[in-house]
Amino acid sequence: MWIADWSRNIAIARQHGHTVEATSYLDSALSGIIDVTLSAQNAAVAAESLGYGITFVGALRNNIDAVIDLLRLPEWTFPVYGLAIGVPDPADPADIKPRYSQNVVVHRNTYTPPTDDDTRDYLDRINTYYRDQELPADWAKNRLAGR
Ligand SMILES: Cc1cc2nc3c(=O)[nH]c(=O)nc-3n(C[C@H](O)[C@H](O)[C@H](O)COP(=O)(O)O)c2cc1C
């Protein structure tokens, strides 16, 4: 579990007699999330380098109160996601999920929106991936737009 955690710093600030206001700002939530994300990604790379497979599990936020209870999290913390680390089942190959091509996600100096061809290329590849995984293949309709 990867937990955004302002509780320690807030406790120290209070010990020094400060009232705490800054941590209620969205930017503070963002920096807590960025901190755990950097460390979780490093853990993912380390695990994969040892031959393990990983899956981030954002779905735990579907029932976040139960997770908070289970982990006995203090105030000023929240679970950002889980990271399942295990040995991939060779009988159930997951493959690597396609990404947008590099010319879509790398912008030189200013933002360049994807062309229709870029989008079509991605839709072709992602739909093939879902079909191979025996999931509903229309990614845009069933996953992106629906959600
Ligand atoms: C923040 C985050 C949360 C995710 N949550 C879930 C999840 O709850 N359940 C799930 O099956 N995959 C989830 N995923 C997707 C997988 O962890 C994984 O990133 C995706 O299947 C692509 O894997 P690949 O890079 O090995 O192809 C999440 C990914 C991210 C980045």
Side-chain angles (χ1 to χ4, degrees):
M1 297 288 195
W2 298 86
I3 313 295
D5 189 349
W6 275 101
S7 68
R8 294 169 299 224
N9 287 353
I10 287 177
I12 292 169
R14 285 184 175 148
Q15 280 161 16
H16 284 76
H18 295 289
T19 59
V20 176
E21 285 134 36
T23 43
S24 297
Y25 284 92
L26 177 62
D27 194 65
S28 298
L30 269 180
S31 60
I33 294 164
I34 291 165
D35 279 353
V36 281
T37 298
L38 291 171
S39 85
Q41 177 63 15
N42 281 329
V45 170
E48 287 184 332
S49 77
L50 296 170
Y52 294 105
I54 62 97
T55 299
F56 282 103
V57 185
L60 65 82
R61 293 195 309 277
N62 293 345
N63 206 352
I64 197 162
D65 290 330
V67 176
I68 288 169
D69 282 348
L70 192 67
L71 302 179
R72 298 199 201 134
L73 295 184
E75 252 193 313
W76 297 108
T77 64
F78 69 93
V80 180
Y81 34 71
L83 181 65
I85 301 177
V87 180
D89 179 356
D92 188 10
D95 220 337
I96 291 181
K97 192 173 178 180
R99 267 43 171 200
Y100 275 102
S101 57
Q102 211 176 71
N103 65 310
V104 174
V105 296
V106 177
H107 307 269
R108 309 222 178 262
N109 298 319
T110 55
Y111 190 92
T112 43
T115 64
D116 289 346
D117 280 349
D118 290 328
T119 306
R120 245 190 317 273
D121 160 65
Y122 182 67
L123 290 178
D124 282 349
R125 289 187 291 115
I126 191 79
N127 286 335
T128 303
Y129 169 84
Y130 279 122
R131 207 172 297 116
D132 290 349
Q133 298 294 319
E134 297 173 5
L135 292 164
D138 192 334
W139 175 77
K141 179 165 160 247
N142 292 315
R143 300 205 159 228
L144 181 87
R147 284 174 177 179

